[in-house]
Amino acid sequence: MKKYEDSNVSANNFDQCTKCTICTVYCPMLEVNPLYPGPKQSGPDGERYRLKEPKYYDMGLKYCLNCKRCEVACPSGVRIGDIIALAKAKNGRKVPKLRDVMLANTDFVGSVATVVAPVVNTTLGLRPVKRVMDATMAIDHRRTFPKYASEKFTTWFRRNMAESQKEFAKQVCYFHGCYANYNYPQLGKDLVKVLNAVGYGVRLMEGERCCGVAKIASGLIGDATRDARRNLSEMRKAVAEGMEIVATSSSCTFTLRDEYDHVLGLENGDVRDSVSLATRFLFRLVESGEIRLAFREDFRMRAAYHSACHIEKLGWGIYSTSLLKMIPGMELIMLPSQCCGIAGTFGFKKENYDYSQAIGRPLFDRIEELGVEIVATDCETCKWQIEMSTSAKVLNPISILAEAIDVEKTRELNNVIDL
Amino acid sequence: MKYDVVIAGGGLAGLMSGIALAREGRSVAIISFGDSALHFSSGSLEMWNDAEGALNSVAANHPYAIVGTQHLDRYSRITKDIFASAGEQLKGEYGCNHLRISPVGVLKPAWLTFDDYFVFDPKMTDGGGVVVVGIDGYLDFYPDFIADGLRRKGVECDVASVSLPELERLRESATEMRSVGISRLLKGDAVERLAHQMAPLVHGAQMVIMPAVFGLGDVDGRQRIERVVGCPVRVAPTASISVAGVRAQKKLVEEFRGLGGTYILGDKVVSCRIEDGRVVGVRSHNHGDVEFVAKDFILAMGSFFSRGLVATPEEIYEPTFGAAVVCAEKREAWCAERILEAQPFQRYGVRVDGNLRVEIDGSVVENLYAVGSIVAGADAVKEGCGAGVVVATALMAAEQILGKELDVKEMN
Ligand SMILES: Cc1cc2nc3c(=O)[nH]c(=O)nc-3n(C[C@H](O)[C@H](O)[C@H](O)COP(=O)(O)OP(=O)(O)OC[C@H]3O[C@@H](n4cnc5c(N)ncnc54)[C@H](O)[C@@H]3O)c2cc1C
Ligand code: SF4
Ligand code: SF4
């Protein structure tokens, strides 16, 4: 017999809302901005009106960070953030500003910037340029910009690595995302180092596109959908070859797994379970005894772990922290779970800068209070925000692992033969 | 992932079991889908609404009968101790209910109450006036009802109202003049300004009662107001979200984590694997093929509100483990006609044996215990035993797993 609740579903569970208001307790934007209508009002409540008449759309929805902390707290499974993201895409400003398009097109802007990296980096850092960007594009001049690398990760990989990777008996597909490709190729190199040491060769997709997280947040749904279709077809190929797909960014992982289906309405059920965060992939292999890790005896680090919003939503912070805790020289402190305020490209926009910093303030204070030099987090935009707002250096857990492992010993433990 | 104990549901029940076990050195993971019913706490853990009696004659299938009423005194002390270590003082003790006040001014018996909440003291009738202070434009607190309730008890009572520019700003948003929004703003200098505004209004009072909006701003906001106005300030419950409940939930989670526990929020247990009459592992929505393996499992998923139980027009069932439930077969029998009558569905829940173990597919599962409001047999509303049943079953299950009685630390 068909179950009653199977025939009683609404988009993103909006009719499941019991009006309990629990979500409003945990929304970071509401904490600092009384002009924001809040998750309940912007999400399920507002949706009832918008369904009747789009004119009920409230411009205040632009403040939503898409951090999903409301969804994590909701006892009724309402996908509040998804409802808001879709409403923004449907009813928000029709023609996005040039600035929003630029900030959202992390791949296009990245590929141009990499070519002229030294120029871009100095120019973006110059005070007068920042002022001009502030005045003409409303990108806040107080922001420090992520640096662009002079050689893309993919270029480095194809030049130096692609051939040797084929020698490994076991293969895994790496979804590097825009950040590892354009801003911080070292992260990709670190992942290759760790995976190779435990006997996995790394493969890239043909023509990987941006996962789309920033485009979705800016309401550029059409562009995001195009990229997503391409990525999905590449992911299917990888899965057909028996590979898992790993990413080093929690936001990419989350977008590929959940937003493609919930926000873009694309069927991804056939590949969803094959997409993993690199730390989860490694943890599972360690736990099942399939691989073993050996660590450098002289490695010492005192680090604090920051649980990024999308890792919180995925619930996967535990894999990163469990791996870090395996390192004998590591003292790992857990930071209170809260939003750092950047929320992807949100904090770059001039009108949001003050909210962004106010949201993150308690976190920054805690980091300074602990006096840690290293903060570990799985999200690249959190890295920008925390590095700009505190004296700590921020590393992805994979980069810390890469530094901590004893490559020779690890290879021996995993019977990796010299290539 | 391997633990000694895995708990599905992280409300009061899951947290009490989890903390009791973690205190004894067990490695425990709690997986909780959403936030809990504690967010609506009245400020009191209710045990039984009849102060003296009736507890010893509860029906044989009532959770208290299964736990054994002789243990309730001990469990109440352990509860106070666990809350105190988490940084939340509770007042009251087993066997002598005090009177708390409801948001609409009804005095109701309660067992343990957060230290900052108002409880009635018969001596108040000859101690001078009480002033109930509301906040302008805040509609979830009803000073007149509270004052009426106290006047009926013979207490002289006045009402007053205060405001601050930052609180006024909250009114710009249609939804934010709520306890949580107000609470966040009560910090630093705002507390002082509020206190100085109150001082002339409450001059000479024996006590001031304010809405329960302290806890998310400065931790000592209420005490600072007390110092300025010169008499005790107590709080009374508000409608909608309970700030004290949010505060308690956060502190208990921190306490659990501090003991080494793993608390995962926003994830749902979706299935369990049973071998030879024992649960071997459970799977969750977010963790997919990574199974949570443990020696013992606790089901603490709450009642209808938290979807630990689901009711459809056809049936009432427990959706996660498929545990057997107690409920009337015919739908007409689920509800009484009048809303204020005792509602039969309140007593519906998961069937447990004498050791709180549940039944799946006709047989008792050796290492799966049910605790909290999901357990069948109690009517939390009519009997006023919501949290009492929760902590009693939660601590009993911990003792079953540990194979020994929990220690009672003597306080004060
Ligand atoms: C609105 C309300 C107000 C109340 N006020 C009071 C009061 O003031 N005083 C009093 O004594 N009692 C009160 N009660 C009674 C109340 O039931 C208990 O006090 C107590 O808080 C219930 O605790 P619990 O842990 O059993 O359930 P809950 O607090 O409901 O917690 C259950 C948790 O399990 C989670 N969950 C459900 N399914 C799954 C799954 N498949 N996987 C993982 N997690 C899952 C839920 O999301 C939830 O977080 C109130 C009850 C309600 C509903
Ligand atoms: S927490 Fe969920 S059910 Fe409660 S008001 Fe928010 S969306 Fe509705
Ligand atoms: S996604 Fe984040 S910012 Fe948006 S409503 Fe939810 S909690 Fe608030």
Side-chain angles (χ1 to χ4, degrees), chain B residues 31 62 86 99 116 118 143 166 168 198 201 232 238 241 249 278 291 346 356 358 398:
Chain B
I31 303 165
H62 194 282
L99 291 176
D116 52 345
F118 169 81
E166 47 267 68
E168 285 294 318
M198 281 169 61
L201 302 173
T238 63
I241 292 278
Q249 171 86 22
R278 295 175 69 84
E291 195 175 38
Q346 287 283 349
L356 293 177
V358 310

Side-chain angles (χ1 to χ4, degrees), chain A residues 247-266:
Chain A
T248 38
S249 151
S250 48
S251 290
C252 295
T253 311
F254 169 68
T255 305
L256 299 175
R257 285 174 54 95
D258 291 339
E259 301 283 84
Y260 279 11
D261 172 15
H262 298 167
V263 180
L264 302 181
L266 298 173

